[in-house]
Each structure stands twice: as structure tokens, then as C-alpha cells.
Amino acid sequence: MKNRKRIGILTSGGDCPGLNAVIRAVVSHATLTYNWEVLGISYATQGLLEGKAMALTMHGLDLRGIDPLLSMGGTILGTINKGDTLARASEIIAGYEALELDALIGIGGDGSINILHNLACQGNWNFVAIPKTIDNDVALTERSVGFDTAVNTITDALNRLTFTAASHDRVMIVEVMGRKAGHLALQAGIAGGADVILIPEIPYSIENVCKHLDQLRDRWGRKFAIIVVAEGIEPIKPSFDCSDRELCKPTPDCGIGQYIADQIAHCSTKKIETRVSVLGHIQRGGIPCALDRLVATAFGKAAVDLVAQGQFDQMVAWQNGQVVAVPLQQVILQSPAPVNTESYLVETARALGIYVGELGKDDTIEQFIDDHTNIL
Ligand code: F6P
């Protein structure tokens, strides 16, 4: 029998830095301001299925008065990004009811938010979402928790690679995450001084990538280069005849970064030495940067306030430097949100002489792909 309001919190989908800072903010605000009980649900919907939840208190994790959650990477609750959630919806809903929750705060990316929204509709849950993902592709929010730390991690990697590239006159190809969105590649590429940035939203021509590398060498005497490749780009075959050579095809063994490296080696008129770095899950680790802690804290506070005001089926969002509430239905309809190819960031990259692909102002990626019949 409970004698005060009880809310649940869970993290769902791929982890990222800043999740624990959200949990900390939710627990602090819910207990200090509203005197609610907060239950942390383990491993997202898996925890609801198995009834795995723990009471979270402000000082539960204190280490001699030090509160580590603000700076701790990952999620103390655990998370899953797979599962037969919809097939087991009725069991999950029963698990939710057994916890006697008055509301649920779910921290997730666009996939998780969609699933949780569906469950909330079916189970009549009072649900509020908080966006997190290093991909930054949740619609209607300029920032998702975890994105900025990942941008910093990639930028740091690009800085390190620049020195070794320059020492050996090599072209470094750096494959970054982001699924079908190029936010990570674009922002880290600009911040890290990349010469070429390939993102899923803008098709590229390998011939022009090579021309760009030649120009760097001929006009500016730059014998090395940094190329950032988003994992989700379409592998476009070059127009040159490559029948004499087995080019690598993007597979789990040979990623898109290696594919681009092979093409450069094949296409360039100069002898270019390439090396490929796949940054992988390093991008999801590490301690959250200051901006992610700030966004996480502000989102956590805002989500608790939405629960207090009885405003459900909403997601907290960052818009123009403010935290606002947006309807979940709209978020789901518009996610995943790609890079706006006419944004000031794309314009900035081009203005600085970075090659960011071929899309003209009035072109569409569908049209470009139609015109290039040799896409794999
Ligand atoms: O959505 C976050 C993300 O890190 C993507 O950028 C990446 O493609 C994917 O998750 C990797 O997922 P997993 O952790 O299952 O390998």
C-alpha cells in the first residue's frame, strides 16, 4: 500500500553519456520538490516484464557524500535495444500495473519513444519521454542527451588522427555512428577540421572526393587529409571501370569507411596512402560533457514538472535554448530527423572549403540516386 505518489523511470535503447545525470535530476526534483517515490526500472521493458525495479533515493548512491551520477557514463538502470516488446505488450502492461505507478518517465531515442508511446496508449499509462541518442535524430528537439559528448569524442579522435596523418602524409578515413542521420559526422567533422564529410543526406561522387584531395595537395601543399564518413551513407559506385579489381563491398567485415578508402586508392591519379579508423562504441562511452549534463538536468527537471501538471504523451525538447514540451505523436511522425541540407552548418562547411557532397540547392537525394544507376 503506498502513501505517496510513485513514478517510474527507465532507460531504453542504446546507452549514451548523460543518462545517469537525467536519472539524478528526476530523483532529486521528484523527491525534494514533490516528495514522490521514484522506482528505477531495470533494462527498460524487460524490467516491467520481470518485475525488476528498485527504489531510487537521493542519497542511495552516495560515496562519502559524493554523488557520482552526474558524471557517470552509461546507465545504472541498464538498457536494451532489442526485444519482442510489442508481442508481449499485455505482459509488460500487467508488469507496469503491478508496480502501481502513477506515471512513467522514459528516456529513449526515436525507436524506444515510439514503442513506449504505443505501450502507454494500450495500457493507459501516464507517460512522459526524454530524448537521448548520440545520433541526435529525434525530431522537434535540437538536442538529445548524449549527442554533444559523442561530438566531443569524435572531435578529439580527429585531432589525434590529424597529427599522425600529417606525419605520414596519409589520408585518414574516420567512420562514425549516426545510423541514417549525419548530425554526428557533420558537427564533429566541422569541429575537428575535416577536409571531407560524407553524410547520408547528401550523395557524394568519389571522383570529386579525389579531386578535392588533389586540390589540397596542389593548391595548398597539404599532403594529408581527414575524411569523416557517416556509417549510414549510401555506397555509390564510382563511374570509372573497376572490373579489373575486386573493390570491397560494405559488409560487417568491410565497413563503409574501408569501402571509401578502397575507392580512393583506385580512383586517385596520385598515389594516396589511406588508413581507416572505425570509432565504434567509443562514441557512446565516456563521462558526459558539461553541455550534456546541463541538458540532462534540465530535461529531468522538466519531465517531473510535466508529470506534476498532469501533462502526458509529451516529450521534453530543447528549442531555441529553452526546454519545452512537444506532443509525442508529432515527434514519432517526424523522426528520425535528418540533417537539413540547407542548414547553416552545411553552408558553413562548404564556405570553409570542406567537401560535403554533391547535392545542389534544388536537388533531392532521391533524384541524385535515380541519376546514378550504379548504386550498389
Ligand atoms: O542509435 C545509437 C547507435 O549508437 C547508432 O549510432 C549505431 O548505429 C547503433 O546505435 C549501434 O547499436 P548497437 O549498440 O546495437 O551496436
Side-chain angles (χ1 to χ4, degrees), residues 7-12 16-31 38-43 54-58 61 67 69-70 72-79 105-107 130 145 292-293 295-301 303-304:
I7 63 167
I9 182 167
L10 57 79
T11 48
S12 180
C16 63
L19 294 175
N20 289 324
V22 180
I23 296 167
R24 172 183 180 267
V26 167
V27 175
S28 304
H29 193 39
T31 50
V38 183
L39 281 193
I41 296 153
S42 304
Y43 297 101
M54 56 182 154
L56 298 175
T57 56
M58 280 253 320
L61 274 165
D67 163 8
L69 284 188
L70 194 55
M72 195 192 277
T75 163
I76 56 161
L77 295 177
T79 185
I105 295 178
I107 313 165
I130 298 180
V145 174
D292 270 333
R293 296 181 198 194
V295 171
T297 305
F299 277 174
K301 184 256 179 208
V304 169

Side-chain angles (χ1 to χ4, degrees), residues 227-305:
I227 300 182
V228 177
V229 179
E231 64 178 359
I233 65 165
E234 287 289 345
I236 298 174
K237 268 194 189 170
S239 53
F240 56 81
D241 177 18
C242 48
S243 51
D244 64 325
R245 216 189 118 172
E246 187 57 30
L247 283 179
C248 136
K249 296 204 173 53
T251 64
D253 297 333
C254 163
I256 194 74
Q258 188 60 51
Y259 178 80
I260 296 294
D262 276 16
Q263 289 197 346
I264 289 172
H266 192 88
C267 177
S268 172
T269 51
K270 309 263 171 21
K271 191 168 163 29
I272 293 182
E273 198 182 355
T274 60
R275 289 290 186 275
V276 180
S277 294
V278 181
L279 296 189
H281 288 79
I282 283 176
Q283 296 160 95
R284 293 234 300 257
I287 62 170
C289 67
L291 182 53
D292 270 333
R293 296 181 198 194
L294 195 70
V295 171
T297 305
F299 277 174
K301 184 256 179 208
V304 169
D305 286 340

